[in-house]
Amino acid sequence: MRRVVVTGLGIVSPLGCGIETTWRRLLAGVSGARRVDAFDTSDLPCKIACTVPGQEDSDGGFNPDDWMESKEQRKVDPFIIYAMAAARQALDDAGWHPSTEADRVATGVLIGSGIGGVGGIYDAAVTLHERGPRRVSPFFIPGRLINLASGYVSIAHGLKGPNHSVVTACSTGAHAIGDAARLVALGDADVIVAGGTESPVNRLALAGFAACRALSTAFNDTPEKASRPYDKDRDGFVMGEGAGIVVLEARDHAIARGARIYAEVVGYGLSGDAYHITSPSEDGDGAFRCMQAALKRAGLSAADISYINAHGTSTPLGDEIELRAVERLLGEHADSVLMSSTKSSTGHLLGAAGAVEAIFGILAIRDQIVPGTLNLDNPSVHTQVDLVPHESRQASVGAVLSNSFGFGGTNASLILRHPDA
Amino acid sequence: MSDIADRVKKIVVEHLGVEADKVTDSANFIDDLGADSLDTVELVMAFEEGFGVEIPDDAAETIVTVGDAIKFLEKNVSA
């Protein structure tokens, strides 16, 4: 199997549009959470979300017109526009703009989403109900389908290799990068544009996740305090939106063209809980086996991991289960690793989370610094694992483990390693 | 130019994102204005919406230029 590296990064997040803006704000401990004002939340228990800042944010706000023609934007849900933005950033960053037929055929796209165009489905259902089937747009279906993020990106850049997608709830982004890395390793493509994208901030999805009792509801007046993984006052996650996309490339291909290599994708593990549709298995068995599988694939031991980007969503149940699984994995090395949840800053980007967080892990390797866990004032349990409370920290970062766990009991772990390791 | 023609051209400009001066009577939605087959379906829906008429599928198939749309609507919209 070929070795696979990351040569390009792109992000649209609640901290801004673009890698450097998002990363600078993450390290500075900025929260992306705010009161939702785009629609009525008066009858919803959760009135906050981590939303992508628009043009009112002059320093790194998101302007959809920069990434997609306005007549095209009208046809799609925002998750596709976010994917277009992050994919172009990643391709530009990688300096990969294939123009020959051979290079185009060797370049694939694998972008997933947890719930795709749920906002557009809601709107179209209302149209159908109130005005009948003749008023349903011909763009309703192609603008909501999850794999159309991959479709739009491939069309925009002429990428004719494998065109694929992943839908595994909150593990989507990690599975997309892991699966894409496998395709490159096996030789199905030399380059794949891979990641996750999500645009769930609407009344229907907020109502649905609130009904699952998954969202924070106690911090509507102090949104920046709401996402507080491992803290004793945590009461659910804060929904986020955006996209994280990387360019994965066969290492020999990247070296041959002189591309900058951020990191190598050395490990990818998958597992299923076979336990409950929304709750993680209480003994953390699924999470443990997933991380273990990634280590095995990487040929590394737990002691080799310097930083863990936790799934850590700030739900009462999940955070401690993950922490116990990590302690079990690390054993006597539990006190030598740093583990933080960047969801304390970005909120939970659902299907984009695993990709955005893999990118944070890659940037931690690049800059030798680890982002902190915001709002971790009083850890709910004692642990030897350093959860990096509040502030980012300089550290020697060689290998990073990034965890993602999704509804349905679907787990994915990625291990990224310093390119010179 | 009739009021109907003005309104038709405005709808075409908005939906296809094209310059107003390209939207002539003889302009073909697909060949001249860059529409695809889904765009033309949506355009017909926008005409229905904008003029409060129903355009049956067999009639819609004959509307391929801006002028075709103006002609159909001038005939079928009560002023």
Side-chain angles (χ1 to χ4, degrees):
Chain A
M1 297 224 295
R2 302 192 297 176
R3 294 169 69 178
V4 181
V5 297
V6 180
T7 55
L9 309 174
I11 272 190
V12 177
S13 85
L15 301 180
C17 179
I19 289 292
E20 299 313 328
T21 301
T22 294
W23 182 234
R24 176 167 39 82
R25 288 180 175 168
L26 181 72
L27 293 179
V30 174
S31 167
R34 43 209 136 226
R35 189 92 175 185
V36 171
D37 56 11
F39 51 86
D40 179 24
T41 58
S42 60
D43 54 356
L44 292 168
C46 174
K47 306 176 196 303
I48 58 174
C50 290
T51 50
V52 171
Q55 288 160 274
E56 76 285 353
D57 179 354
S58 58
D59 175 31
F62 178 70
N63 179 359
D65 295 343
D66 292 342
W67 309 100
M68 201 173 191
E69 276 184 61
S70 61
K71 90 176 170 87
E72 294 300 316
Q73 291 170 33
R74 229 172 14 88
K75 301 173 182 173
V76 303
D77 263 40
F79 79 100
I80 290 176
I81 308 175
Y82 296 154
M84 288 287 278
R88 202 207 303 163
Q89 290 170 32
L91 285 162
D92 287 348
D93 188 36
W96 183 244
H97 299 102
S99 55
T100 67
E101 184 69 5
D103 283 346
R104 289 180 166 196
V105 169
T107 307
V109 188
L110 203 170
I111 300 168
S113 178
I115 52 178
V118 66
I121 292 170
Y122 168 80
D123 292 339
V126 171
T127 298
L128 176 68
H129 180 72
E130 292 181 348
R131 306 169 64 206
R134 288 184 59 86
R135 297 264 79 85
V136 174
S137 163
F139 299 105
F140 164 55
I141 296 292
R144 308 320 123 193
L145 291 180
I146 283 172
N147 71 295
L148 264 281
S150 291
Y152 267 96
V153 167
S154 72
I155 293 163
H157 299 280
L159 310 180
K160 298 185 174 181
N163 198 270
H164 199 7
S165 191
V166 166
V167 181
T168 50
C170 305
S171 296
T172 297
H175 274 138
I177 291 174
D179 287 359
R182 290 266 162 94
L183 291 175
V184 173
L186 291 168
D188 294 272
D190 291 331
V191 181
I192 296 188
V193 180
T197 184
E198 203 78 83
S199 55
V201 184
N202 54 68
R203 270 175 68 75
L204 180 59
L206 268 181
F209 280 103
C212 294
R213 301 293 184 265
L215 299 178
S216 170
T217 57
F219 296 89
N220 285 326
D221 295 325
T222 49
E224 71 285 356
K225 301 281 179 202
S227 187
R228 43 194 319 114
Y230 314 109
D231 186 81
K232 72 175 175 46
D233 294 327
R234 71 187 186 274
D235 73 329
F237 74 75
V238 179
M239 190 184 273
E241 60 175 352
I245 290 180
V246 300
V247 172
L248 296 175
E249 187 164 352
R251 185 167 174 272
D252 52 3
H253 188 271
I255 289 171
R257 69 181 186 90
R260 171 199 40 208
I261 296 173
Y262 282 102
E264 179 170 355
V265 184
V266 290
Y268 174 41
L270 310 82
S271 74
D273 279 359
Y275 176 71
H276 186 267
I277 53 171
T278 60
S279 295
S281 58
E282 284 169 27
D283 58 3
D285 171 64
F288 175 78
R289 285 185 291 105
C290 179
M291 292 186 281
Q292 199 180 39
L295 278 178
K296 185 181 172 194
R297 177 64 61 178
L300 296 177
S301 71
D304 296 320
I305 301 297
S306 18
Y307 170 56
I308 299 177
N309 187 299
H311 184 58
T313 60
S314 188
T315 56
L317 208 56
D319 290 5
E320 282 172 30
I321 291 173
E322 180 184 14
L323 184 55
R324 293 304 176 222
V326 165
E327 288 171 343
R328 187 179 156 204
L329 183 85
L330 296 174
E332 63 187 48
H333 304 291
D335 59 357
S336 64
V337 77
L338 302 177
M339 170 161 122
S340 65
S341 169
T342 47
K343 290 186 179 81
S344 59
S345 174
T346 63
H348 189 357
L349 275 73
L350 308 178
V356 164
E357 289 160 19
I359 290 172
F360 293 157
I362 290 162
L363 293 169
I365 290 170
R366 183 191 72 176
D367 294 347
Q368 299 290 293
I369 189 167
V370 165
T373 303
L374 306 190
N375 300 314
L376 181 47
D377 299 332
N378 300 292
S380 62
V381 289
H382 175 75
T383 178
Q384 282 191 289
V385 177
D386 186 337
L387 296 171
V388 200
H390 304 298
E391 308 230 324
S392 53
R393 205 185 300 168
Q394 299 286 338
S396 173
V397 184
V400 171
L401 172 71
S402 184
N403 281 336
S404 296
F405 312 130
F407 279 3
T410 173
N411 312 303
S413 295
L414 293 169
I415 298 177
L416 303 140
R417 192 171 59 186
H418 195 289
D420 303 330
Chain B
M1 196 162 21
S2 73
D3 170 52
I4 284 178
D6 277 347
R7 285 157 66 195
V8 164
K9 289 181 180 177
K10 192 158 173 272
I11 288 170
V12 172
V13 167
E14 275 169 16
H15 279 261
L16 299 183
V18 289
E19 301 294 325
D21 59 5
K22 292 207 172 118
V23 186
T24 59
D25 283 11
S26 61
N28 182 294
F29 296 125
I30 291 176
D31 297 337
D32 302 319
L33 301 177
D36 64 20
S37 60
L38 297 181
D39 289 318
T40 61
V41 173
E42 199 194 38
L43 206 49
V44 167
M45 288 172 61
F47 294 143
E48 291 185 327
E49 183 94 4
F51 291 92
V53 294
E54 189 165 313
I55 304 174
D57 286 350
D58 53 349
E61 279 166 25
T62 68
I63 299 175
V64 297
T65 66
V66 176
D68 293 339
I70 294 170
K71 246 180 270 164
F72 178 89
L73 290 163
E74 280 177 342
K75 214 179 286 173
N76 293 279
V77 174
S78 43

